[in-house]
Amino acid sequence: MRYLYLILLFFTLGCQLGFSKDYSYTFHGHVIDNISEQPIAAKITLMTADSALIDTTTAEIEEESYTKKMFAIYRLTKIVPKGRYIIKATTEGYDDAYVDCEIRSIRESEIFVKPIRMTRTYHDLPEVTVNATKIKMVMHGDTKIGR
């Protein structure tokens, strides 16, 4: 009878550990300029839904072999639980861009994230006032003299 209880205890503990296991997922995507659609080598950050940092990488510019088109591709492989995540892209000269993604099933080992579209940062300069003065020119023979 004791052995039956021990076997039952080990079986229930094993089931609980098996169902609570986190799996390894690979997040794939690419980063482009919002207007020109050119690839951007940006720093990519994987965060939880409440913006806690998980991992970072850099998007690398690669050429597709068939179409010869350039892409800034990133890959992040992490052991994380199912749920919602935020992918953030940052680079100099562009505003930060964010994309949401969600892991719904443990059968999804690879998550293909929609393209991250980044917009250029523009700085407004303060107003400038230009003052001009007119110089009076006088001719004395063949020489111009400014007064």
Side-chain angles (χ1 to χ4, degrees), residues 23-34:
Y23 292 92
S24 176
Y25 298 97
T26 302
F27 296 87
H28 295 274
H30 62 279
V31 185
I32 57 174
D33 184 279
N34 194 31

Side-chain angles (χ1 to χ4, degrees), residues 100-113:
D100 291 329
C101 63
E102 183 175 5
I103 300 173
R104 296 185 183 118
S105 170
I106 60 172
R107 292 182 284 171
E108 294 179 289
S109 62
E110 297 193 14
I111 291 88
F112 295 96
V113 182

Side-chain angles (χ1 to χ4, degrees), residues 7-60:
I7 290 173
L8 187 62
L9 176 70
F10 286 128
F11 179 73
T12 56
L13 287 176
C15 287
Q16 287 178 352
L17 291 175
F19 287 119
S20 67
K21 183 178 178 186
D22 293 337
Y23 292 92
S24 176
Y25 298 97
T26 302
F27 296 87
H28 295 274
H30 62 279
V31 185
I32 57 174
D33 184 279
N34 194 31
I35 296 172
S36 68
E37 296 191 356
Q38 293 298 313
I40 301 170
K43 178 183 175 186
I44 306 298
T45 306
L46 176 65
M47 301 181 291
T48 60
D50 59 350
S51 299
L53 176 70
I54 296 174
D55 197 12
T56 60
T57 188
T58 302
E60 297 177 5

Side-chain angles (χ1 to χ4, degrees), residues 10 14 80 88 111 130 143 145:
F10 286 128
V80 292
K88 174 183 171 184
I111 291 88
V130 177
T143 307
I145 301 172

